[in-house]
Amino acid sequence: MLPGGDHRAHLRALPRFTADLQHLTPAQRRRFRRVVLDAFVPDLRPGRQFRPGLRIKGVRCAPGVYELTWAPDGRATWSYGRAVVAGLPHVVWHRIGTHSILDRPLAEGHLAGRGRRLVG
């Protein structure tokens, strides 16, 4: 779970994401957390669409992986994992940083998407 957890979704960070997170400034980490808890998680509810400002879209080179924009040059990649808690979406965070993370959007050794091993 993201530190401070949220009960509307199960959020899990892969080790690469956690390592990437440590390279962000404290202000960047706060901004990411605020965007996730105030916008991303609420938009995961059934029947909701992601708000345009999050710019959620699939990553071309990694089927089943999505990118989220949390700052002008802030990106995070994620995928849906198998349900851990019934009725709650399970989000697996792969990478976080600048737009450059999209060159390698997955944590090493993890695949996501149709026909591939799901992480989580």
Side-chain angles (χ1 to χ4, degrees):
M1 304 253 322
L2 197 64
D6 187 279
H7 302 291
R8 296 173 286 172
H10 185 269
L11 308 173
R12 183 170 72 92
L14 295 176
R16 177 63 189 260
F17 179 91
T18 303
D20 289 344
L21 193 64
Q22 299 309 310
H23 290 90
L24 300 180
T25 67
Q28 289 172 318
R29 288 192 295 269
R30 283 191 300 273
R31 183 173 185 160
F32 172 72
R33 179 181 165 78
R34 188 174 59 248
V35 166
V36 167
L37 295 178
D38 293 348
F40 179 73
V41 169
D43 289 356
L44 286 168
R45 286 182 279 175
R48 298 270 314 245
Q49 292 186 0
F50 289 112
R51 59 197 78 199
L54 294 176
R55 299 182 62 204
I56 302 286
K57 57 186 172 183
V59 177
R60 287 185 191 158
C61 67
V65 176
Y66 302 90
E67 70 173 280
L68 168 138
T69 299
W70 54 269
D73 193 24
R75 303 291 187 279
T77 59
W78 59 278
S79 62
Y80 289 104
R82 289 186 191 100
V84 174
V85 178
L88 292 182
H90 177 196
V91 171
V92 179
W93 296 105
H94 294 269
R95 301 285 317 271
I96 187 168
T98 65
H99 193 268
S100 67
I101 67 163
L102 298 177
D103 293 337
R104 299 185 73 186
L106 291 172
E108 286 76 17
H110 292 274
L111 299 175
R114 192 173 309 207
R116 298 185 178 196
R117 179 173 60 88
L118 276 178
V119 296

